[in-house]
Coordinates of all heavy atoms in Angstrom, one line a residue:
M17 N 146.1 -6.2 43.5 CA 145.3 -5.7 44.6 C 146.1 -4.5 45.2 O 147.3 -4.6 45.5 CB 145.1 -6.8 45.6 CG 144.3 -6.4 46.8 SD 143.8 -7.7 47.8 CE 145.0 -7.6 49.1
V18 N 145.4 -3.5 45.5 CA 145.9 -2.3 46.2 C 145.6 -2.4 47.7 O 144.5 -2.6 48.1 CB 145.4 -1.0 45.6 CG1 145.9 0.2 46.3 CG2 145.6 -0.9 44.1
E19 N 146.7 -2.2 48.5 CA 146.5 -2.2 49.9 C 146.5 -0.8 50.4 O 147.2 0.0 49.9 CB 147.6 -3.0 50.6 CG 147.6 -4.5 50.3 CD 148.7 -5.2 51.1 OE1 148.8 -4.9 52.3 OE2 149.3 -6.0 50.5
Q20 N 145.7 -0.6 51.4 CA 145.7 0.7 52.1 C 146.4 0.6 53.4 O 146.2 -0.3 54.2 CB 144.2 1.2 52.4 CG 143.5 1.6 51.1 CD 142.1 2.1 51.5 OE1 141.5 1.7 52.4 NE2 141.7 3.1 50.7
W21 N 147.3 1.6 53.7 CA 148.1 1.6 54.9 C 147.7 2.8 55.7 O 148.2 3.9 55.5 CB 149.6 1.6 54.6 CG 150.0 0.4 53.9 CD1 150.0 0.1 52.6 CD2 150.6 -0.7 54.5 NE1 150.5 -1.1 52.3 CE2 150.8 -1.7 53.5 CE3 150.8 -1.1 55.8 CZ2 151.4 -2.9 53.8 CZ3 151.4 -2.3 56.1 CH2 151.6 -3.2 55.1
F22 N 146.7 2.6 56.6 CA 146.2 3.7 57.4 C 147.2 4.0 58.5 O 147.7 3.1 59.2 CB 144.9 3.4 58.0 CG 143.8 3.3 57.1 CD1 143.4 2.1 56.5 CD2 143.1 4.4 56.7 CE1 142.3 2.0 55.6 CE2 142.1 4.4 55.7 CZ 141.7 3.2 55.2
G23 N 147.6 5.2 58.7 CA 148.4 5.6 59.8 C 149.9 5.2 59.6 O 150.6 5.3 60.6
L24 N 150.3 4.8 58.5 CA 151.7 4.3 58.3 C 152.7 5.4 58.6 O 152.7 6.4 57.9 CB 151.9 3.7 56.9 CG 153.3 3.1 56.7 CD1 153.5 1.9 57.5 CD2 153.4 2.7 55.2
G25 N 153.6 5.2 59.6 CA 154.6 6.2 59.9 C 154.1 7.5 60.6 O 154.9 8.4 60.9
K26 N 152.9 7.5 61.0 CA 152.4 8.7 61.7 C 152.2 8.4 63.2 O 152.0 7.3 63.6 CB 151.0 9.1 61.2 CG 150.9 9.5 59.7 CD 149.5 9.8 59.4 CE 149.3 10.1 57.9 NZ 147.9 10.3 57.6
K27 N 152.4 9.5 64.0 CA 152.0 9.3 65.4 C 150.5 9.2 65.5 O 149.8 9.9 64.8 CB 152.5 10.6 66.2 CG 154.0 10.7 66.4 CD 154.4 11.7 67.4 CE 154.3 13.1 66.9 NZ 154.8 14.1 67.8
R28 N 150.1 8.3 66.4 CA 148.6 8.1 66.5 C 148.2 8.1 67.9 O 148.9 7.5 68.8 CB 148.2 6.8 65.8 CG 148.6 6.6 64.4 CD 148.1 7.7 63.5 NE 146.8 7.3 63.0 CZ 145.9 8.1 62.4 NH1 146.2 9.3 62.2 NH2 144.7 7.7 62.0
S29 N 147.0 8.7 68.2 CA 146.4 8.6 69.5 C 145.6 7.3 69.6 O 145.5 6.5 68.6 CB 145.4 9.8 69.7 OG 144.4 9.7 68.7
K30 N 145.0 7.0 70.7 CA 144.2 5.8 70.8 C 143.1 5.9 69.8 O 142.7 4.9 69.2 CB 143.5 5.7 72.2 CG 144.5 5.3 73.3 CD 143.7 5.2 74.6 CE 144.6 5.1 75.8 NZ 143.8 5.1 77.1
F31 N 142.5 7.0 69.6 CA 141.4 7.3 68.7 C 141.9 7.0 67.3 O 141.3 6.3 66.5 CB 140.9 8.7 68.8 CG 139.9 9.1 67.8 CD1 138.7 8.5 67.7 CD2 140.3 10.2 66.9 CE1 137.8 9.0 66.7 CE2 139.4 10.6 65.9 CZ 138.1 10.0 65.8
G32 N 143.1 7.5 66.9 CA 143.6 7.3 65.6 C 143.9 5.9 65.3 O 143.7 5.3 64.2
K33 N 144.5 5.2 66.3 CA 144.8 3.7 66.1 C 143.5 2.9 65.9 O 143.5 2.0 65.1 CB 145.5 3.2 67.4 CG 147.0 3.7 67.4 CD 147.7 3.3 68.7 CE 149.0 3.9 68.8 NZ 149.7 3.5 70.1
W34 N 142.4 3.3 66.6 CA 141.2 2.6 66.5 C 140.6 2.8 65.0 O 140.2 1.9 64.4 CB 140.1 3.1 67.5 CG 138.9 2.3 67.6 CD1 138.6 1.3 68.4 CD2 137.7 2.4 66.7 NE1 137.4 0.8 68.2 CE2 136.8 1.4 67.1 CE3 137.4 3.2 65.7 CZ2 135.6 1.3 66.5 CZ3 136.2 3.1 65.1 CH2 135.3 2.1 65.5
L35 N 140.7 4.1 64.6 CA 140.2 4.3 63.2 C 141.0 3.5 62.2 O 140.5 2.9 61.3 CB 140.4 5.8 62.8 CG 139.6 6.8 63.6 CD1 139.9 8.2 63.1 CD2 138.1 6.5 63.5
D36 N 142.4 3.4 62.4 CA 143.2 2.6 61.5 C 142.8 1.2 61.5 O 142.7 0.5 60.5 CB 144.7 2.8 61.9 CG 145.2 4.2 61.7 OD1 144.6 5.0 61.0 OD2 146.3 4.5 62.3
R37 N 142.7 0.6 62.7 CA 142.4 -0.8 62.8 C 141.0 -1.2 62.2 O 140.8 -2.3 61.7 CB 142.3 -1.2 64.3 CG 143.6 -1.5 64.9 CD 143.5 -2.2 66.3 NE 142.6 -1.6 67.2 CZ 142.8 -0.6 68.0 NH1 144.1 -0.1 68.1 NH2 141.9 -0.1 68.8
H38 N 140.1 -0.2 62.2 CA 138.8 -0.5 61.7 C 138.6 0.0 60.3 O 137.5 0.0 59.7 CB 137.7 0.1 62.6 CG 137.7 -0.7 63.9 ND1 138.5 -0.4 65.0 CD2 136.9 -1.8 64.3 CE1 138.2 -1.2 66.0 NE2 137.3 -2.1 65.6
G39 N 139.6 0.6 59.7 CA 139.6 1.1 58.3 C 138.6 2.3 58.1 O 138.1 2.4 57.0
V40 N 138.5 3.1 59.1 CA 137.7 4.3 59.1 C 138.5 5.4 58.6 O 139.5 5.8 59.2 CB 137.1 4.6 60.5 CG1 136.2 5.8 60.4 CG2 136.2 3.4 61.0
S41 N 138.0 6.0 57.5 CA 138.7 7.2 56.9 C 138.4 8.4 57.7 O 137.2 8.7 58.1 CB 138.2 7.3 55.5 OG 138.4 8.6 55.0
Q42 N 139.4 9.2 58.0 CA 139.2 10.5 58.7 C 138.2 11.4 57.9 O 137.4 12.1 58.5 CB 140.5 11.2 58.9 CG 141.4 10.5 59.9 CD 142.7 11.2 60.1 OE1 142.8 12.4 59.9 NE2 143.7 10.5 60.6
S43 N 138.4 11.5 56.6 CA 137.5 12.4 55.8 C 136.1 11.9 55.8 O 135.1 12.7 55.9 CB 138.1 12.5 54.4 OG 138.1 11.3 53.8
V44 N 135.8 10.6 55.8 CA 134.5 10.1 55.8 C 133.8 10.4 57.2 O 132.7 10.8 57.3 CB 134.4 8.6 55.5 CG1 133.1 8.0 55.7 CG2 134.8 8.3 54.0
L45 N 134.6 10.1 58.2 CA 134.1 10.4 59.6 C 133.8 11.9 59.7 O 132.8 12.3 60.3 CB 135.1 10.0 60.6 CG 134.7 10.1 62.1 CD1 133.4 9.4 62.4 CD2 135.8 9.7 63.0
A46 N 134.7 12.8 59.2 CA 134.4 14.2 59.3 C 133.1 14.6 58.5 O 132.3 15.3 59.1 CB 135.6 15.0 58.7
D47 N 132.9 14.0 57.4 CA 131.7 14.2 56.6 C 130.4 13.8 57.4 O 129.4 14.5 57.5 CB 131.7 13.5 55.3 CG 132.6 14.2 54.3 OD1 133.0 15.3 54.5 OD2 133.0 13.5 53.3
R48 N 130.5 12.6 57.9 CA 129.3 12.0 58.6 C 129.0 12.7 59.9 O 127.9 12.7 60.4 CB 129.5 10.5 58.8 CG 129.5 9.8 57.5 CD 129.5 8.3 57.8 NE 129.5 7.6 56.5 CZ 129.5 6.3 56.4 NH1 129.7 5.5 57.4 NH2 129.4 5.7 55.2
T49 N 130.0 13.3 60.6 CA 129.8 13.9 61.9 C 129.6 15.5 61.7 O 129.3 16.1 62.7 CB 131.0 13.7 62.8 OG1 132.2 14.2 62.2 CG2 131.1 12.2 63.2
K50 N 129.9 16.0 60.5 CA 129.8 17.4 60.2 C 130.9 18.2 61.0 O 130.7 19.3 61.3 CB 128.4 18.0 60.5 CG 127.3 17.3 59.8 CD 127.3 17.5 58.4 CE 126.1 16.9 57.7 NZ 126.4 15.9 56.7
L51 N 132.0 17.5 61.3 CA 133.1 18.1 61.9 C 134.2 18.4 60.9 O 134.2 17.7 59.8 CB 133.7 17.2 63.0 CG 132.8 16.9 64.2 CD1 133.4 15.8 65.1 CD2 132.6 18.2 65.0
S52 N 135.1 19.2 61.2 CA 136.2 19.5 60.2 C 137.2 18.3 60.1 O 137.4 17.6 61.1 CB 136.9 20.8 60.5 OG 137.7 20.6 61.6
T53 N 137.8 18.2 58.9 CA 138.8 17.1 58.8 C 140.0 17.5 59.7 O 140.7 16.6 60.2 CB 139.3 17.0 57.3 OG1 139.7 18.2 56.8 CG2 138.2 16.4 56.5
S54 N 140.2 18.8 59.9 CA 141.3 19.2 60.8 C 141.1 18.7 62.2 O 142.0 18.2 62.9 CB 141.4 20.7 60.8 OG 142.3 21.2 61.7
T55 N 139.8 18.8 62.7 CA 139.5 18.4 64.1 C 139.8 16.9 64.2 O 140.4 16.4 65.1 CB 138.0 18.7 64.4 OG1 137.9 20.1 64.4 CG2 137.6 18.1 65.7
I56 N 139.3 16.1 63.2 CA 139.4 14.6 63.3 C 140.9 14.3 63.2 O 141.4 13.4 63.9 CB 138.6 13.9 62.1 CG1 137.1 14.2 62.2 CG2 138.9 12.4 62.1 CD1 136.5 13.7 63.5
S57 N 141.6 15.0 62.3 CA 143.1 14.7 62.2 C 143.8 15.0 63.5 O 144.7 14.2 63.9 CB 143.6 15.6 61.0 OG 145.0 15.4 60.9
H58 N 143.6 16.1 64.1 CA 144.2 16.5 65.4 C 143.9 15.4 66.4 O 144.8 15.0 67.2 CB 143.8 17.9 65.8 CG 144.4 19.0 65.0 ND1 145.8 19.1 64.8 CD2 143.8 20.0 64.4 CE1 146.0 20.2 64.1 NE2 144.8 20.7 63.8
L59 N 142.7 15.0 66.5 CA 142.3 14.0 67.5 C 143.0 12.7 67.2 O 143.2 11.9 68.1 CB 140.8 13.9 67.6 CG 140.1 15.1 68.2 CD1 138.5 14.9 68.0 CD2 140.4 15.2 69.7
S60 N 143.2 12.4 66.0 CA 143.8 11.1 65.6 C 145.3 11.1 65.8 O 145.9 10.0 66.0 CB 143.6 10.9 64.1 OG 142.2 10.8 63.8
T61 N 146.0 12.2 65.8 CA 147.4 12.2 66.0 C 147.9 12.7 67.3 O 149.0 12.4 67.7 CB 148.1 13.1 64.8 OG1 147.5 14.4 64.9 CG2 147.8 12.5 63.5
N62 N 147.2 13.5 68.0 CA 147.6 14.2 69.2 C 147.0 13.5 70.4 O 145.8 13.7 70.7 CB 147.3 15.7 69.2 CG 147.9 16.4 70.4 OD1 148.3 15.8 71.4 ND2 148.0 17.7 70.3
K63 N 147.8 12.7 71.1 CA 147.2 11.9 72.3 C 146.8 12.8 73.4 O 146.0 12.4 74.3 CB 148.2 10.9 72.8 CG 149.5 11.5 73.3 CD 150.4 10.4 73.8 CE 151.7 11.0 74.2 NZ 152.0 10.8 75.6
D64 N 147.3 14.1 73.4 CA 146.9 15.0 74.5 C 145.7 15.9 74.2 O 145.2 16.6 75.0 CB 148.1 15.9 74.8 CG 149.3 15.1 75.3 OD1 149.1 14.2 76.1 OD2 150.4 15.5 75.0
R65 N 145.2 15.8 73.0 CA 144.1 16.6 72.5 C 142.8 15.9 73.0 O 142.6 14.7 72.7 CB 144.1 16.8 71.0 CG 142.9 17.5 70.5 CD 143.2 18.9 70.0 NE 142.0 19.6 69.7 CZ 141.7 20.0 68.4 NH1 142.6 19.8 67.5 NH2 140.6 20.6 68.2
V66 N 141.9 16.6 73.7 CA 140.7 16.0 74.2 C 139.5 16.9 73.6 O 139.6 18.1 73.7 CB 140.6 16.0 75.7 CG1 139.3 15.5 76.2 CG2 141.7 15.2 76.3
P67 N 138.6 16.3 72.9 CA 137.5 17.1 72.3 C 136.5 17.5 73.4 O 136.4 17.0 74.5 CB 136.8 16.0 71.4 CG 137.0 14.7 72.1 CD 138.4 14.8 72.7
N68 N 135.7 18.6 73.1 CA 134.7 19.0 74.0 C 133.6 17.9 74.0 O 133.6 17.0 73.1 CB 134.2 20.4 73.7 CG 133.5 20.5 72.4 OD1 132.8 19.6 71.9 ND2 133.8 21.6 71.7
L69 N 132.6 18.0 74.9 CA 131.6 16.9 74.9 C 130.7 16.8 73.7 O 130.4 15.7 73.2 CB 130.7 17.1 76.2 CG 131.4 16.9 77.5 CD1 130.4 17.2 78.6 CD2 131.8 15.4 77.6
K70 N 130.4 18.0 73.1 CA 129.6 18.0 71.9 C 130.3 17.2 70.7 O 129.7 16.4 70.0 CB 129.3 19.4 71.5 CG 128.3 19.5 70.3 CD 128.0 21.0 70.0 CE 127.0 21.1 68.9 NZ 126.7 22.5 68.6
T71 N 131.6 17.5 70.5 CA 132.4 16.9 69.5 C 132.6 15.4 69.7 O 132.4 14.6 68.9 CB 133.8 17.6 69.4 OG1 133.6 19.0 69.0 CG2 134.7 16.9 68.4
A72 N 132.9 15.1 71.0 CA 133.0 13.6 71.3 C 131.7 12.9 71.1 O 131.7 11.8 70.6 CB 133.5 13.5 72.8
S73 N 130.6 13.5 71.5 CA 129.3 12.9 71.3 C 129.0 12.6 69.8 O 128.5 11.5 69.4 CB 128.2 13.7 71.8 OG 128.3 13.8 73.2
K74 N 129.3 13.5 68.9 CA 129.1 13.3 67.5 C 130.0 12.2 67.0 O 129.5 11.4 66.2 CB 129.5 14.6 66.7 CG 128.5 15.7 66.9 CD 129.0 17.0 66.1 CE 128.0 18.1 66.2 NZ 128.4 19.2 65.3
I75 N 131.2 12.1 67.4 CA 132.1 11.1 67.0 C 131.7 9.7 67.5 O 131.5 8.7 66.7 CB 133.6 11.3 67.4 CG1 134.1 12.6 66.7 CG2 134.5 10.1 67.2 CD1 135.4 13.1 67.2
I76 N 131.4 9.6 68.7 CA 130.9 8.3 69.3 C 129.6 7.9 68.7 O 129.5 6.7 68.4 CB 130.9 8.4 70.9 CG1 132.2 8.7 71.5 CG2 130.2 7.2 71.5 CD1 133.3 7.7 71.1
K77 N 128.7 8.8 68.5 CA 127.4 8.4 67.9 C 127.7 7.7 66.5 O 127.0 6.7 66.2 CB 126.5 9.6 67.7 CG 125.2 9.3 67.1 CD 124.4 10.6 67.0 CE 123.0 10.3 66.3 NZ 122.2 11.5 66.1
E78 N 128.6 8.3 65.7 CA 128.9 7.7 64.4 C 129.6 6.4 64.5 O 129.3 5.4 63.8 CB 129.7 8.7 63.6 CG 129.9 8.2 62.2 CD 128.6 8.0 61.4 OE1 127.6 8.7 61.5 OE2 128.6 7.0 60.5
L79 N 130.6 6.3 65.5 CA 131.4 5.1 65.6 C 130.5 3.9 66.2 O 130.9 2.7 66.0 CB 132.6 5.3 66.5 CG 133.6 6.3 65.9 CD1 134.8 6.4 66.8 CD2 134.0 5.9 64.5
K80 N 129.5 4.2 66.9 CA 128.6 3.2 67.4 C 128.0 2.3 66.3 O 127.5 1.2 66.5 CB 127.5 3.7 68.3 CG 128.0 4.0 69.7 CD 126.9 4.5 70.6 CE 127.4 4.7 72.0 NZ 127.6 3.5 72.8
R81 N 128.0 2.8 65.1 CA 127.5 2.1 63.9 C 128.4 0.9 63.7 O 127.9 -0.2 63.2 CB 127.4 2.9 62.7 CG 126.4 4.0 62.7 CD 126.6 4.9 61.5 NE 125.4 5.7 61.3 CZ 124.9 6.0 60.1 NH1 125.5 5.7 59.0 NH2 123.8 6.8 60.1
L82 N 129.7 1.0 64.0 CA 130.6 -0.1 63.9 C 130.8 -0.9 65.1 O 131.0 -2.1 65.0 CB 132.0 0.5 63.5 CG 132.0 1.2 62.1 CD1 133.4 1.9 62.0 CD2 131.8 0.2 61.0
D83 N 130.7 -0.3 66.3 CA 130.9 -0.9 67.5 C 129.9 -0.3 68.5 O 130.2 0.7 69.1 CB 132.3 -0.8 68.0 CG 132.6 -1.5 69.4 OD1 131.6 -2.0 70.0 OD2 133.7 -1.5 69.8
P84 N 128.8 -1.0 68.8 CA 127.7 -0.5 69.7 C 128.2 -0.3 71.1 O 127.6 0.4 71.9 CB 126.6 -1.5 69.6 CG 127.0 -2.5 68.6 CD 128.4 -2.3 68.2
N85 N 129.3 -0.9 71.5 CA 129.8 -0.8 72.9 C 130.8 0.3 73.1 O 131.3 0.4 74.2 CB 130.3 -2.2 73.3 CG 129.3 -3.2 73.3 OD1 128.2 -3.1 73.8 ND2 129.6 -4.4 72.7
I86 N 131.2 1.0 72.1 CA 132.2 2.0 72.2 C 131.8 3.2 73.0 O 130.6 3.6 73.0 CB 132.7 2.5 70.8 CG1 134.1 3.0 70.8 CG2 131.7 3.5 70.2 CD1 134.7 3.0 69.5
K87 N 132.7 3.7 73.8 CA 132.5 4.9 74.7 C 133.6 5.9 74.5 O 134.7 5.6 74.1 CB 132.4 4.5 76.1 CG 131.5 3.3 76.4 CD 131.6 2.9 77.9 CE 132.9 2.3 78.4 NZ 133.4 1.1 77.8
S88 N 133.3 7.2 74.8 CA 134.3 8.2 74.6 C 135.5 7.9 75.6 O 136.6 8.3 75.2 CB 133.7 9.6 74.9 OG 133.2 9.7 76.2
E89 N 135.3 7.3 76.7 CA 136.3 6.9 77.6 C 137.3 5.9 77.0 O 138.4 5.8 77.6 CB 135.7 6.4 78.9 CG 134.9 7.4 79.7 CD 133.5 7.5 79.2 OE1 133.0 6.6 78.5 OE2 132.9 8.5 79.6
D90 N 137.0 5.3 76.0 CA 137.9 4.4 75.3 C 139.1 5.2 74.7 O 140.1 4.6 74.4 CB 137.2 3.6 74.2 CG 136.2 2.6 74.7 OD1 136.3 2.2 75.9 OD2 135.3 2.2 74.0
F91 N 138.8 6.5 74.4 CA 139.8 7.3 73.7 C 140.3 8.5 74.6 O 141.5 8.9 74.5 CB 139.2 7.9 72.4 CG 138.6 6.8 71.5 CD1 137.3 7.0 71.1 CD2 139.4 5.8 71.1 CE1 136.7 6.0 70.3 CE2 138.8 4.8 70.2 CZ 137.5 4.9 69.8
W92 N 139.4 9.1 75.3 CA 139.7 10.3 76.0 C 139.3 10.3 77.5 O 138.3 9.7 77.8 CB 139.0 11.5 75.3 CG 139.3 11.5 73.8 CD1 140.4 11.8 73.2 CD2 138.3 11.3 72.8 NE1 140.3 11.7 71.9 CE2 139.0 11.4 71.6 CE3 137.0 10.9 72.8 CZ2 138.3 11.2 70.4 CZ3 136.3 10.7 71.6 CH2 137.0 10.9 70.4
D93 N 140.0 11.1 78.3 CA 139.5 11.3 79.7 C 138.6 12.5 79.8 O 139.1 13.6 79.9 CB 140.8 11.5 80.6 CG 141.6 10.3 80.7 OD1 141.1 9.1 80.6 OD2 142.9 10.4 80.8
I94 N 137.4 12.2 79.6 CA 136.4 13.3 79.6 C 135.6 13.3 80.9 O 135.1 12.3 81.3 CB 135.4 13.2 78.4 CG1 136.3 13.4 77.1 CG2 134.3 14.3 78.5 CD1 135.4 13.3 75.8

């Protein structure tokens, strides 16, 4: 059996830690939200990076498929 280690050894933001805990791939999320992998990566690793409202809305809309109660405030001070 092959194990996946999401975020092993990397600095992670609240958003990045959530993705890791839920097994959400940054590249899959980027594809589904039509955002760049660079944007998702920066938000996953930089705790001080805050997305604009349009970007946050795209991310939260997609993540609500996994957790209907999730809000942007769970990750960022918007």
Side-chain angles (χ1 to χ4, degrees):
M17 181 170 99
V18 175
E19 292 186 45
Q20 289 185 322
W21 294 86
F22 291 95
L24 183 64
K26 296 179 185 177
K27 289 195 278 183
R28 305 300 274 167
S29 64
K30 287 181 192 178
F31 173 65
K33 289 176 184 175
W34 191 95
L35 295 180
D36 295 344
R37 279 194 311 273
H38 292 86
V40 177
S41 161
Q42 292 179 23
S43 59
V44 170
L45 183 59
D47 287 342
R48 291 185 178 177
T49 58
K50 305 295 187 235
L51 296 169
S52 72
T53 54
S54 175
T55 295
I56 300 298
S57 178
H58 288 305
L59 291 170
S60 297
T61 58
N62 186 342
K63 64 182 175 117
D64 297 322
R65 174 107 187 246
V66 178
N68 64 38
L69 289 175
K70 185 176 180 180
T71 298
S73 294
K74 288 179 178 186
I75 291 169
I76 296 303
K77 181 179 177 181
E78 186 59 36
L79 296 184
K80 280 187 177 280
R81 293 174 163 215
L82 298 173
D83 180 354
N85 298 313
I86 203 159
K87 305 177 295 297
S88 61
E89 293 83 18
D90 294 338
F91 309 123
W92 310 290
D93 295 326
I94 296 180

